[in-house]
Structure formats: structure tokens, C-alpha cells
Amino acid sequence: MSTITTKDGTEIYYNDWGVGQPIVFSHGWPLDADAFEDQMFFLASRGYRCVAHDRRGHGRSSQPWAGNDMDTYADDLSALVEHLDLRSAIHVGHSTGGGEVARYIGRHGTRRVAKAALIGAVPPLMLKTERNPVGLPIAAFDQLRAGVAADRSQFFKELSLPFYGYNRPGAKVSEGVRESFWRQGMVAGFPASYFCIKAFSETDLTDDLKRFDVPTLVLHGDDDQIVPIAASALLSSKIIKNAKLVVYAGAPHGMCTTLKDRVSSELLAFIKG
């Protein structure tokens, strides 16, 4: 397995497919690099080097108690980029991974970044506050934590339904996709499964978005039941300078899987544009 070791001794696993300009993928919670396998295979087959890591605590990476926060996630990403000496990279982040990309740019700048794409991403802030009235109440995230603590396996099975929009009338449900979601969730460590909820819901990434100075694609489904578009893409696309917002009508949170061909083609057009 390909891994790097961070300064605190955490092993970060990564996939590295293809050759060419690098595209770096940051996955969502509670998944791992496999969540982007469709986009990676598509783009690696078209002349790009696709790199995706399992965030600390997730997938095949170490499961440390500490460091399940956006600052550390961003620093781990930076360590991977530096280790592989990736330059002019396109960074693609889904959900929590979008927050990771935002904090990475906020903390480390765009010296090695050519473009960025945020898909169903959590920025600027998911939590409802006085300054962010369109966010979700803390009770919603307390409910996620309670589900993880009570019966993590059953919780992830049930979460796969709204994640992919499979709870909508007429949805074509793939039990294989649901099982893959459950498998990835269960491979994640219990600490990361629990603590990452605070990281993706309570981290204010507004100032990080203001530091974006590269072409940025903001892609979101307007039927995203996990990261509602009103509190995320509609706001972040206004904060990021010259961001391109593309809204998929009726698309769910997990559209990288349910609409994989469309998302992959959208990314390719953005990268080549």
C-alpha cells in the first residue's frame, strides 16, 4: 500500500493512478478514497494523474484519537501534496472534503494549486448561528452523533438512503452502492466517525473561501438532503471570486456516484477549460 507518515506519526493511505497533470481528490464523511473511484478512473484514462487519500481515521489510514479537525485534515493534505511534489494540481473536494480543500487553501495558499472544484461541499458553514441563519441547528448534528454512538452499523445503512436520494419516490436504488457506503463507513474508525461531525459542521470556512484566487467550480444538487444547497453552494459561490456555480436539478448528495458520468464529464470540461 502507498502511504505517507505525518509529523504526528499518522499513516495516510493514498491511491495514485495515471500520469499527467495531477488531480487531487478529498472525500466526504464517513467514506474514503474509493468514493471517487469513478471520477479517478475516468480522468486517469484521459491523461491525468489522479491522487486520492483516505483522510486520517478513515479507510486504510491510521485511526488516531487526535487530529480529527479541519486544520489537521488540511495539513495532512499538504503533507501528501509536498511528499508527491504535486504542482499545478486541480483539487476536488466532496462534502467534508470540500471543507478540507478550503482549509488547505486557507492555510497553505495556492502555490501548488491550479484550480479547485467543490462538490456538495460543506463550506462556508453548516451550523446555524446568528450570523448564519440558513444553517442547520445543532440538534441535527447531535442526532448524527447519537446515531454513530448508538449503533454505527445500522446508522450508516440508514444514512445511505438520503445520501444517494434513494428515499425519494421513483428512485432507482442500488443495493450495491448502499453496501459500499456501509463498508466504507465501517472501515472508518469510531473516533473519526464521531469527531469528524463537529469538524464538518462547526468549522467556519468563510475566510478560507476568500483566499481562493484560482478558477473554482462549485457543483451541487438542489435536492441534497445532507448538505442543503442554501447553506452551502449558494453562499460559497458568492464568496469565492469568480466561482462558477452549477446546480443539478433533483440531484442528491452522493451525485458523484448516482450521476457519475455527468459529474466526471463536468470535471473534465472544467479542467480543460
Side-chain angles (χ1 to χ4, degrees):
M1 297 204 311
S2 299
T3 63
I4 65 165
T5 302
T6 65
K7 61 184 179 181
D8 71 349
T10 300
E11 279 198 347
I12 302 294
Y13 168 89
Y14 65 93
N15 291 325
D16 190 350
W17 302 348
V19 294
Q21 184 178 12
I23 307 173
V24 184
F25 295 85
S26 295
H27 65 80
W29 170 90
L31 306 176
D32 56 41
D34 293 348
F36 269 122
E37 64 183 10
D38 293 311
Q39 284 70 45
M40 291 181 67
F41 189 82
F42 177 92
L43 293 166
S45 299
R46 286 158 176 79
Y48 294 91
R49 180 183 181 185
C50 294
V51 176
H53 64 295
D54 291 354
R55 184 173 301 113
R56 68 168 52 216
H58 298 70
R60 291 142 291 201
S61 293
S62 298
Q63 299 184 6
W65 181 263
N68 292 291
D69 57 80
M70 280 297 179
D71 285 354
T72 309
Y73 295 159
D75 291 349
D76 289 348
L77 176 57
S78 177
L80 176 65
V81 168
E82 295 285 340
H83 176 80
L84 297 177
D85 194 25
L86 304 179
R87 301 175 184 273
S88 297
I90 295 97
H91 280 265
V92 180
H94 173 248
S95 195
T96 299
E100 179 179 284
V101 170
R103 182 52 53 92
Y104 166 72
I105 289 176
R107 283 172 71 83
H108 300 279
T110 55
R111 179 174 57 91
R112 291 178 176 267
V113 181
K115 294 183 179 181
L118 306 179
I119 305 175
V122 298
L125 175 62
M126 287 195 69
L127 182 67
K128 182 178 182 178
T129 65
E130 284 189 13
R131 296 180 60 186
N132 186 44
V134 296
L136 295 172
I138 190 67
F141 305 109
D142 288 341
Q143 186 176 5
L144 294 181
R145 280 182 279 265
V148 168
D151 187 342
R152 191 162 65 106
S153 182
Q154 184 63 32
F155 173 72
F156 286 147
K157 281 190 175 183
E158 293 174 359
L159 184 61
S160 67
L161 291 171
F163 194 96
Y164 296 107
Y166 289 160
N167 59 342
R168 294 309 196 200
K172 184 179 179 181
V173 178
S174 167
E175 290 301 326
V177 166
R178 294 190 66 199
E179 289 172 7
S180 179
F181 179 94
W182 174 85
R183 177 191 61 80
Q184 291 177 64
M186 291 307 295
V187 172
F190 197 111
S193 298
Y194 191 92
F195 295 134
C196 186
I197 296 169
K198 180 179 179 67
F200 73 66
S201 64
E202 297 183 41
T203 305
D204 190 339
L205 298 154
T206 302
D207 289 341
D208 302 279
L209 297 178
K210 292 176 181 178
R211 294 200 63 189
F212 279 48
D213 57 2
V214 295
T216 303
L217 173 67
V218 179
L219 189 60
H220 217 103
D222 68 2
D223 192 33
D224 190 324
Q225 301 171 68
I226 308 300
V227 181
I229 190 171
S232 53
L234 297 187
L235 299 178
S236 60
S237 60
K238 295 177 181 177
I239 297 169
I240 299 170
K241 300 181 186 71
N242 302 316
K244 177 184 179 183
L245 172 64
V246 179
V247 178
Y248 285 9
H253 189 59
M255 62 185 182
C256 290
T257 298
T258 62
L259 299 171
K260 62 183 183 181
D261 294 338
R262 184 176 175 186
V263 171
S264 295
S265 296
E266 190 93 51
L267 285 173
L268 179 61
F270 171 68
I271 291 165
K272 295 175 70 174

